[in-house]
Amino acid sequence: MTVEEKIGQMTQIERAVANPSAIRDRCIGSVLSGGGSRPFENAESADWANMIDGFQKGAVESRLGIPIFYGTDAIHGNNNVWGATIFPHNIGLGATRDADLVRRIGVVTALETRACGSQYAFAPCVAVAKDPRWGRFYESYSEDTEVVRKMTSLVSGLQGQPPEGHPYGYPYVAGRNSVMASAKHFVGDGATENGTNEGNTIASHDDMFNIHLAPYIDCIAQGVCTVMASYSSWNGDKMHSHRYLLTEVLKEKLGFKGLLITDWEALERLTDPHDADYRQSVKSTINAGIDMVMVPFRYELFLEQLQSLVESGEIPMTRIDDAVERILRVKFVTGLFEHPFTDRSLIDLVGCKAHRELAREAVRKSLVLLKNGKDPKKPFLPLDKTAKKILVAGTHADDLGYQCGGWTATWTGLSGRITVGTTIMDAIREMLGDKTEIVFEPNPTAETFAGQDFSFAIVAIGEGPYCETGGDDPELKIPFNGTEIATFVADKVPTVTILISGRPMVIEPPLLEKVDAFVAAWLPGTEGAGITDVLFGDYPFQGKLPVTWFKTVDQIPMHVHGNSNPLFPFGFGLTS
């Protein structure tokens, strides 16, 4: 390989600037969709496959014929694609404590991701999240390291289970129905000061290794193909240029043989202000041990700077060869050389009944019952399926986008019918049929109750969708007047409140006191029927809090091994 071909392989570019000829001529190693980047609005799997196969055609026509792999943010299902099955976000899966369920979700996510032509999912996030003010809190399974370690089973779901005797640390992909996984964000991103996204994690060496690094060891043991570096810092040192952790620990001590990739535009974020010294950023990240750079747009500048640094000897050729060896190793184990193009037979599986049933099961198991009845001896739930008239209220009762949260259809997520799925309201209608009169009012008023005789009310409130820094929130109050809506209804009629959120939020004492039942439903995804399955008693409540639920934000960070007097302790969850 020429130097130009080697550094081309180390480059991952955004699909918006990619084209077959550029991929061919520059020997580009990978293409990705940034958050919400898609061929066009509501593009389905076949549309994605057409686009990705077009890029692949350019790669295989290059001098060496090295295929690209295509990366996408399939973090709770193949969530950018219209009609895909959307699972609960990780925080809800952490409430299930069910490693096999998470593995099965990985299997389905891999199938639906492969159906669109992509061979690489940027998942799982194995951050141990310590502060719910963090805008990525819902991407973590738990505040507890052992729960996160258990949920790394997603890696074996996505990639397949390595056979007995598979070399430790060596990447593994079972075949054309599996995808490359990415353990992220290495390392400590869940414990930044004040929960600030891309912030600084102040931690001792022992805490960094025992709390935050431990899940990566489990991922490496399962043959994870890639590890993604974190935007965050450790005691003031940026992770993307942290040679000790990236090379000496991850690659040498832990024996990781896959490829190490940056996060989006990470080189620009290494300096303050951003992009103050791009050349130095390229030099420090590559020398620290980064193998592939998510450029994503200015790839010509990146290639020019990297080649110059190699020619000047500032980046040794041995470092380049190590990176390219790792990239090619992953491409070979993924089977890209034998099967570079999409298997179109998988398209019919996207969003199929069996996949949606699995997502519905995940929703059922993720629900955490925090209160059931004002008198512990008289439970309010399950609800009566034969009720004559009920009220369904709240901003989140009939909003699929709110149910799914961020990283769905777009980067930040949207409100409304953003894809194919079942809202809570849809599920209630399906459960009760014509036997019960259902009055739906997102924002009920006194007139809503005039002359009405409701048996009970179901009120769904919560957060709007968000992601990353846009989700950082120092107050954690329930938005959209959610507390006011729920207490207003509960004053008039027996009420169960469902909280749709990516994290614990402030539950005002009057709210918890007035409602008859309170359910933490996290961000359940497209299958709202999983909620009614449990509310109406077809299945029991099983979920246990994956995090400690604070009383006030002044208590944050509070966690299972550190604080007392929470509103609800880690592991809490009523079964009836």
Side-chain angles (χ1 to χ4, degrees), residues 275-473:
D275 204 19
D277 190 341
Y278 191 74
R279 181 183 176 88
Q280 176 59 31
S281 294
V282 174
K283 176 182 174 180
S284 62
T285 54
I286 302 301
N287 280 336
I290 291 293
D291 303 309
M292 179 173 278
V293 175
M294 198 183 291
V295 176
F297 298 113
R298 300 189 302 169
Y299 67 92
E300 291 180 340
L301 174 63
F302 170 72
L303 292 169
E304 172 191 306
Q305 292 291 345
L306 181 52
Q307 181 160 349
S308 172
L309 287 161
V310 172
E311 289 172 348
S312 69
E314 293 171 79
I315 296 177
M317 185 55 70
T318 52
R319 176 74 271 277
I320 298 299
D321 288 344
D322 172 60
V324 176
E325 179 182 352
R326 290 168 177 272
I327 292 163
L328 293 179
R329 178 183 295 140
V330 168
K331 290 186 176 186
F332 277 115
V333 302
T334 307
L336 284 175
F337 287 88
E338 295 85 356
H339 302 289
F341 297 106
T342 308
D343 179 357
R344 306 278 172 144
S345 69
L346 299 177
I347 290 175
D348 289 343
L349 294 174
V350 175
C352 68
K353 187 174 188 298
H355 292 183
R356 293 187 182 277
E357 283 298 319
L358 178 61
R360 185 171 176 172
E361 176 189 346
V363 175
R364 288 196 296 264
K365 291 181 174 179
S366 70
L367 303 177
V368 179
L369 181 59
L370 298 177
K371 179 181 179 180
N372 189 17
K374 293 177 178 176
D375 181 345
K377 297 179 182 177
K378 296 178 181 177
F380 181 66
L381 300 176
L383 300 174
D384 182 7
K385 293 181 185 178
T386 65
K388 297 297 182 189
K389 182 186 291 187
I390 69 168
L391 172 66
V392 179
T395 49
H396 288 57
D398 195 30
D399 195 307
L400 195 62
Y402 284 178
Q403 275 179 212
C404 292
W407 299 104
T408 317
T410 68
W411 179 46
T412 56
L414 297 165
S415 174
R417 294 276 172 176
I418 62 171
T419 188
V420 178
T422 302
T423 66
I424 297 170
M425 186 66 199
D426 295 334
I428 292 168
R429 290 194 181 106
E430 183 182 310
M431 175 69 74
L432 300 181
D434 298 330
K435 304 185 298 293
T436 302
E437 181 183 347
I438 303 169
V439 175
F440 173 54
E441 179 54 62
N443 290 281
T445 64
E447 292 180 7
T448 306
F449 296 91
Q452 301 280 22
D453 184 20
F454 297 117
S455 297
F456 56 81
I458 300 171
V459 180
I461 57 177
E463 297 185 285
Y466 57 84
C467 66
E468 300 196 41
T469 304
D472 285 0
D473 183 355

Side-chain angles (χ1 to χ4, degrees), residues 45-54 56 70 111-119 176 336 339-347:
S45 295
D47 303 310
W48 281 79
N50 291 339
M51 175 188 72
I52 294 172
D53 282 355
Q56 191 69 278
Y70 194 98
L111 284 168
E112 297 201 6
T113 301
R114 277 285 196 167
C116 83
S118 175
Q119 312 91 353
R176 298 183 72 188
L336 284 175
H339 302 289
F341 297 106
T342 308
D343 179 357
R344 306 278 172 144
S345 69
L346 299 177
I347 290 175

Side-chain angles (χ1 to χ4, degrees), residues 102-145:
V102 171
R103 182 194 62 77
R104 288 182 285 139
I105 287 170
V107 171
V108 167
T109 300
L111 284 168
E112 297 201 6
T113 301
R114 277 285 196 167
C116 83
S118 175
Q119 312 91 353
Y120 183 17
F122 297 130
C125 176
V126 293
V128 180
K130 296 297 187 181
D131 195 321
R133 293 172 294 189
W134 184 36
R136 306 191 80 149
F137 193 84
Y138 62 79
E139 295 184 49
S140 168
Y141 293 104
S142 178
E143 70 180 28
D144 182 71
T145 301

Side-chain angles (χ1 to χ4, degrees), residues 238-241 266-272 274 281 284-285:
K238 292 278 189 180
M239 202 58 60
H240 272 86
S241 55
L267 299 188
E268 286 85 343
R269 304 185 197 209
L270 273 178
T271 55
D272 186 16
H274 282 187
S281 294
S284 62
T285 54

Side-chain angles (χ1 to χ4, degrees), residues 40-64:
F40 50 84
E41 189 173 349
N42 298 344
E44 298 180 6
S45 295
D47 303 310
W48 281 79
N50 291 339
M51 175 188 72
I52 294 172
D53 282 355
F55 296 145
Q56 191 69 278
K57 189 171 185 293
V60 298
E61 288 176 353
S62 64
R63 184 181 78 90
L64 297 175

Side-chain angles (χ1 to χ4, degrees), residues 226-246:
T226 78
V227 170
M228 185 185 296
S230 176
Y231 290 132
S232 60
S233 303
W234 179 30
N235 298 333
D237 294 324
K238 292 278 189 180
M239 202 58 60
H240 272 86
S241 55
H242 208 299
R243 190 182 188 282
Y244 169 66
L245 285 173
L246 298 183

